[in-house]
Amino acid sequence: MGSKNKLKRFNENDTFDNVIQPTREEVVNGFQWKGKWNSFFKNDNPIILELGCGKGEYTIALAKKNPNINYIGVDIKGARFWRGAKTAIEDNMNNVAFVRTQIELIDLIFAENEVSEIWITFPDPQIKYKRTKHRLTNHDFLKKYNHILNEEGVVNLKTDSEFMHGYTLGLLHGEGHEVIYANHDVYKNQGAPEEVINTQTFYEQQYLEIGKAITYIKFKIRF
Ligand SMILES: C[S@@+](CC[C@H](N)C(=O)[O-])C[C@H]1O[C@@H](n2cnc3c(N)ncnc32)[C@H](O)[C@@H]1O
């Protein structure tokens, strides 16, 4: 994407009611919607997150299917989720928002128990050892997710990365979390939930074109 196009999207994001782009200071010093997301949406419906949402395909697809659930896409790249935000506005969807922030700050964006479910869609696997701290299913991230998720809250991980799939399964077993469902090739092995095989993200489409297997884990964090 050219820099002009990016700038146009950044500027347009500023005008969207469904996009929130807090500064780091605003988040660290007490984020205005933390614990108050139901006032943002003006209802008491559950809240589901898509972390590293990119263009927000899951946020949009699930929000269309479940109008009585609120969906929030989180990504640091605003020019990407501009697509999802624009679609939500064009289609008059009131149950969608996008937040531009670091996922590392997620426990400052949402209060304890405020979230019902998390989707992590095609995260960067961060294979190098030195990048472990950026891997979205590492111990520290699980701690943060556990804090914001309610009692029944679950996490969904969809990835093309065998490494990420194996790493996450290993960590879940090692730390005693509950693996509810795992599938190492969702389009070949039967049994994957409908929402896993019915939506393909931007990155996923590219992985499918080169014949990569798409994997999925649904789990519950138990600390
Ligand atoms: C490989 S892309 C996947 C995007 C989308 N889910 C898809 O499947 O098309 C990973 C996304 O995660 C975002 N991301 C990675 N680490 C992040 C972090 N720590 N905080 C916020 N966003 C992050 C990137 O900006 C990027 O959009």
Side-chain angles (χ1 to χ4, degrees):
M1 194 189 311
S3 57
K4 248 191 185 172
N5 218 350
K6 261 192 191 166
L7 193 64
K8 192 170 155 247
R9 290 180 175 197
F10 283 139
N11 290 337
E12 212 172 348
N13 272 346
D14 278 337
T15 69
F16 289 166
D17 287 341
N18 61 2
V19 169
I20 304 164
Q21 309 195 77
T23 63
R24 193 182 172 87
E25 286 66 38
E26 283 168 340
V27 173
V28 171
N29 296 329
F31 181 56
Q32 71 168 134
W33 296 111
K34 182 181 174 187
K36 301 187 184 101
W37 279 101
N38 286 119
S39 324
F40 177 88
F41 287 107
K42 302 186 181 72
N43 60 46
D44 282 328
N45 295 340
I47 290 167
I48 296 187
L49 310 183
E50 183 186 7
L51 302 181
C53 65
K55 298 184 182 199
E57 286 89 350
Y58 261 85
T59 301
I60 295 295
L62 294 174
K64 279 194 174 155
K65 195 172 158 220
N66 307 305
N68 294 329
I69 299 179
N70 302 316
Y71 289 87
I72 303 176
V74 179
D75 205 294
I76 196 62
K77 298 209 169 147
R80 288 195 179 160
F81 67 55
W82 168 89
R83 180 61 272 164
K86 180 104 176 155
T87 300
I89 289 168
E90 286 169 350
D91 294 356
N92 292 316
M93 300 168 75
N94 300 318
N95 61 334
V96 171
F98 288 91
V99 181
R100 193 172 87 78
T101 196
Q102 291 282 353
I103 298 163
E104 284 77 356
L105 303 177
I106 204 73
D107 54 337
L108 301 174
I109 301 280
F110 298 94
E112 192 170 359
N113 298 325
E114 197 171 18
V115 173
S116 293
E117 192 168 332
I118 291 175
W119 282 81
I120 308 173
T121 50
F122 299 88
D124 302 310
Q126 309 287 8
I127 289 173
K128 287 194 180 147
Y129 179 71
K130 265 171 56 189
R131 302 289 300 172
T132 310
K133 67 170 190 276
H134 299 290
R135 213 172 284 147
L136 290 184
T137 56
N138 73 23
H139 172 86
D140 292 345
F141 277 112
L142 293 191
K143 276 259 174 205
K144 290 182 185 189
Y145 304 155
N146 189 47
H147 181 74
I148 62 172
L149 281 167
N150 64 25
E151 204 45 43
E152 295 79 42
V154 293
V155 182
N156 304 271
L157 170 68
K158 197 178 179 192
T159 177
D160 63 297
S161 165
E162 274 180 51
F163 169 81
M164 188 74 178
H165 184 72
Y167 165 83
T168 304
L169 276 180
L171 187 84
L172 294 174
H173 286 306
E175 293 195 345
H177 306 294
E178 181 189 347
V179 176
I180 299 168
Y181 179 83
N183 189 324
H184 65 267
D185 193 343
V186 295
Y187 297 107
K188 276 213 183 112
N189 301 332
Q190 294 202 333
E194 209 181 284
E195 65 263 31
V196 173
I197 47 178
N198 282 358
T199 299
Q200 286 78 38
T201 73
F202 179 71
Y203 273 81
E204 178 174 5
Q205 284 163 29
Q206 299 178 19
Y207 299 134
L208 285 170
E209 271 169 28
I210 56 170
K212 287 188 94 175
I214 304 301
T215 72
Y216 170 70
I217 310 172
K218 180 175 194 151
F219 60 93
K220 201 161 189 312
I221 304 167
R222 296 195 185 281
F223 276 115

